[in-house]
Every structure is written in structure tokens, then in C-alpha cells.
Amino acid sequence: MWLSKYLAIAKINFKNEFTYFWDFLFDSVFIAIIIFIYSQLWAILFSTGHYSDISGYTLAMLVWYLVMTESIIDFISYVVDNIGDDIKQGNIANYLNKPYNYIIYIYTIHIVMGFVSLILTFLLGSIVAAVTVGGFSFNFLNIPFILITIFLAMSMNLLIMTFLGLFAFWMEDVSAVNFIYQKFVFIIGGTLIPLEFFPEWLAKISSFLPFSYLAYYPAKLFINFNLHQFLDVVAVQILWCIVFIFLILFIYKKAIKKVSINGG
Amino acid sequence: MAVKDQFRLLWAYLGMSLKTLLEYRLNALLFIGSMIINDLAWMLFWLLFFTRFPNVNGWDFSYMIILYAVICFSYGLASGIFRNANKLQNIIANGTLDYFLPLPKNILYHLLIEKSSQYSLGDILFGLVLAVIFIPIYNFPLFLILSLLSATIIISFQIIIGSISFYIGNSRRLSASLNGGVMSLSSYPLSIYHGIARFIILFLIPAGFLAGVPVELLKSFNLTWFLLLTGFTIAILLIAIGVFYKGLKRYESGNQMYVRS
């Protein structure tokens, strides 16, 4: 029952977002350009004839890997800034007397937007990938499993960003924190290049951090599905989600005591 | 005299930005620091990449260092002094362009210099440090000239895509996407583009002339390419000015009441 109000909010938000369909599409154009750049980069490396595959990845697999990482990651990077603005400008006070929880509200509206963005970016990215490198062998029966890991990756990403956004209760501006977080996801998370291409020490560090479960593992499962790896990845993703839910609850409880409402 | 006046105006705005920056020192340091971390992260990325793949069609890591020196320094200069070039679409769509219209200054020039970016200092510093360490001293004047040309291309391109708002209303996301796209295309090795892609990147969108060509000139100077770059820069600047003033004729006032802070 309590979920129905959040689903209603999500539904309204979904309709709102489709009002700005072209805006969404324009955002995705940027990702299409990035996919084009990497298709050129990998094509040059493969054209030297030195490689038939690189660490098990063929040219097509590398480009489709990027299509998937970008589709998952390229959404709602502004959540941290939005929460920061809500706190800085005092809008958070308006949410506190509403019959819903601010954190669940933020999660619900953004997860819906995330999936809309995912579909659009994936479609546009797929066109670029199909034109530049063609397809790769893919078992459509794996789709439900891949959707589960994508959903968990997006949830993790949202939870981490919510956690960082709440720091606005103590910091003047959280956009710098967001900026640095996005870079971690790009590099250590393996968004642009699979972790196998990096030195072993970095891959090892990355496996202990949440970033690679946001991009690298879901994309790897997409291009080369393995049931054992899927179960491992999902278990770790759920674990990280639980860790960040607890961190958010802890910090939110502390932070909300700092809110002083002076009318207005 | 008129030129002197324009410089005085620029100087006054830069002075104001500096005072704001010093007022919020901690915040400014955080922004500048985060920009430097961002640039360092990209350098780390390319270091890791070139360790695995030492040569990409003639480009190695030393080319990427020079590419980042040029791109960070020129982008820092462009957004540091002409911050509003990247915000032009918002200024037109919101109707805040009204403010600049009745003032006795060149409209385009005035609106471009009215804001500067705190981030840009981080980029300028990062680009300069890379240049000082990795570019031979005899090539330093060339680095400065090429960076100025590159900054002019960035500003001109931003004016062109910002002016789309004169024609289609709010083009915020389209302009941001195009700007981000061109900056991204220019921050990868020029050698990866071939055939039609290379032609497009060099002549139809300014990504190649913005960074790739300056890098190749710094590595091995070629007078023909230098003249082509200079010609391209002048052409894109004239096109930008033309597009802006042509669009301005279509501008409808925002009829907005607001207080400037």
C-alpha cells in the first residue's frame, strides 16, 4: 500500500520526462559520439593486425561493452547536485511535511528516469555500434538476468549519489564531490575500458570498491554471460546496496536534526 | 581608444571575479582542486591505456600529454575569460540578453566577458604545468600562440551552437550535448580518425583544429598546417559573429523583471 504513492509519483514523473523527449534524445547524442570515438579507437588497434582479440574481447564486444556501460552510467549524474540544491535552498523543508519519505521519493523518480534514459541511450548506442562494428553473438534468454544486474547497478549508483548529496548539510557545495565520484566510476569502474586492460593491482583495488559493480560487471555479463559470475555480481551488488542504505539512514537521521525551518 | 575601453571593461570584470573567488576561498579551492583531480584522472587513464597499447597509429603517451596541455590551457582561458560563451543558449532563452542590449558596449563581447569560471583556474594551471614540464622551451611561444587559436575556436563554436536558441527557443541540452561532444572528440588522439570521419572532424566540426592539429604542430612544425589552422580560426570567428548578430535580429525580449546581483 505504502508503495502505491511512490509508484504514482514515478508515473507522473515518467509522463513529465516524456514531455521533454527531445531533451532526453539530445543527451543521448553525446553518448553516441563517445561510442563512435571508441569504435574508431578500437578499430585502429585491431587494424594493426597485432590482435585478433584483446584479453578475450573482440572489436565488436568492446564497442557493445561501451554501449552497455554508457547506457547504465549516463543517467541522473545530477542527483547529487539536485539533493545539494534542495538542502542549500531549503526546499528540503517542503518535503518533510509531505506524507512520503524524501529519500524514497528521490530514489523512485530517478530510477524511472534512469530506465527511460537507459532505453534511449541503448537504442541510439546500438545503432552506432551496429553501423560501425556490426553485432555480436548474444543469447536473448539472458535478458532477464542482465536486467536484474542493471537494475541493481542503477540502484547502487542512485544510493551512492544520494549518500554524497546529503553531505550538503555540512558542505557549501557538493558538485565538486560529485565530479570526483563520476571520475572514479569512469576509470576504476571500467566505464570506458574493461578492467582487464588495466594493471593487475588496479583491477584488484577495483574489485574491493563498489564502482566496478556499477558499470564493468553488468556490461561484461551483457557481452559474455556466465551464470556463476552473475550470481556473484548480484550478491555483491545487493551487499553494497544494503551498506549504502544503512549509511544513508544514519547520515539522514543526523542531518535532518540540523534543519531549521523559519517560515517563509 | 575603443579597444582600450573594451580592455578596461574586461579588466573590471576579471577584478570582480577575483574578488568573489577570494571571498569564498575554500569553495574556490575545492572547485579548482576538483578540476585538477579531473585532469589528473584523465592523464592516469591515458597512462594506463598507453602502457597496455603503446602506439595508436603514430600517437604515443607523449602526444597525449601535449594534447592535454593545449586543451586544458585553451579551454581554461576560454571559459575563464569568456564563461558566458558556454551559457549563451540560456541567456537567450531566459531573456537575460535584455540587460546587454541598451548598454553602450559591443553586445556580444560584453555578454561573453560578463562571467568567469572558477573551474577554469584549475584547467589553466594544469595545462601550464604540463606545458612547462613537457614542452621544450623553444616551443613555448608556439604553444601559447596555438593555445590562443584553440581558445578562439572553442569560444566561436560555443557562440554558434548557443545561437541556435535564437531559432528554436531553448536549446540548452542540444548545445550542451554538441559542446560536450566536440570537446570529447578533440580530447582523443587525432590519429584514430580516418577517411570521412577525419574530414568531418577537421573541417566540418572544429574538433581536430582545436587540439589535434596544434599537438602535431608542436611535435613537428608544418607551415601549411599552421596557416590552415590560422585561416580556420579566423573563418570560424567571423562565422560565429555573423550567426550571433543574424540571430539577434530574431530575438524577442524576455520582458523579464529581475534584479542583477
Side-chain angles (χ1 to χ4, degrees), chain B residues 208-248:
Chain B
F209 279 115
L210 202 155
V213 172
V215 170
E216 297 203 335
L217 283 169
L218 280 163
K219 276 285 185 185
S220 160
F221 188 78
N222 176 310
L223 186 64
T224 312
W225 275 102
F226 179 75
L227 291 176
L228 258 174
L229 171 64
T230 311
F232 182 86
T233 309
I234 294 167
I236 195 169
L237 179 64
L238 292 176
I239 291 169
I241 295 170
V243 166
F244 175 80
Y245 282 103
K246 198 158 191 264
L248 190 60

Side-chain angles (χ1 to χ4, degrees), chain B residues 34-187:
Chain B
S34 67
M35 209 60 225
I36 292 175
I37 290 172
N38 170 62
D39 296 337
L40 275 171
W42 278 112
M43 288 316 302
L44 172 71
F45 170 78
W46 284 112
L47 178 66
L48 294 168
F49 182 89
F50 279 99
T51 307
R52 183 75 167 78
F53 310 105
N55 192 306
V56 179
N57 211 16
W59 275 50
D60 56 26
F61 186 56
S62 71
Y63 277 75
M64 289 311 291
I65 293 174
I66 298 176
L67 181 91
Y68 271 77
V70 171
I71 217 164
C72 290
F73 188 62
S74 56
Y75 191 78
L77 281 181
S79 57
I81 303 171
F82 303 97
R83 173 71 179 133
N84 273 350
N86 197 17
K87 303 261 177 222
L88 187 57
Q89 56 279 1
N90 297 0
I91 293 169
I92 296 166
N94 297 343
T96 33
L97 186 59
D98 290 4
Y99 168 76
F100 301 95
L101 300 180
L103 296 176
K105 296 284 175 214
N106 180 301
I107 299 166
L108 180 59
Y109 173 74
H110 189 188
L111 86 86
L112 291 182
I113 62 166
E114 194 241 359
K115 282 246 161 28
S116 65
S117 156
Q118 292 176 329
Y119 282 107
S120 61
L121 262 178
D123 273 339
I124 292 173
L125 278 173
F126 190 81
L128 260 184
V129 169
L130 280 186
V132 166
I133 299 172
F134 295 101
I135 293 175
I137 190 84
Y138 59 85
N139 251 352
F140 209 77
L142 181 63
F143 164 76
L144 291 177
I145 293 168
L146 293 171
S147 297
L148 285 178
L149 292 175
S150 173
T152 310
I153 294 173
I154 293 170
I155 297 159
S156 306
F157 181 68
Q158 288 175 341
I159 295 170
I160 294 168
I161 56 171
S163 297
I164 297 172
S165 269
F166 283 126
Y167 300 90
I168 65 163
N170 193 351
S171 66
R172 190 176 62 89
R173 287 201 179 176
L174 173 63
S175 303
S177 227
L178 288 172
N179 189 38
V182 166
M183 290 313 295
S184 296
L185 284 165
S186 59
S187 55

Side-chain angles (χ1 to χ4, degrees), chain A residues 197-209:
Chain A
F197 293 11
F198 290 156
E200 215 171 293
W201 60 267
L202 190 66
K204 217 166 215 172
I205 291 173
S206 180
S207 65
F208 287 107
L209 297 169

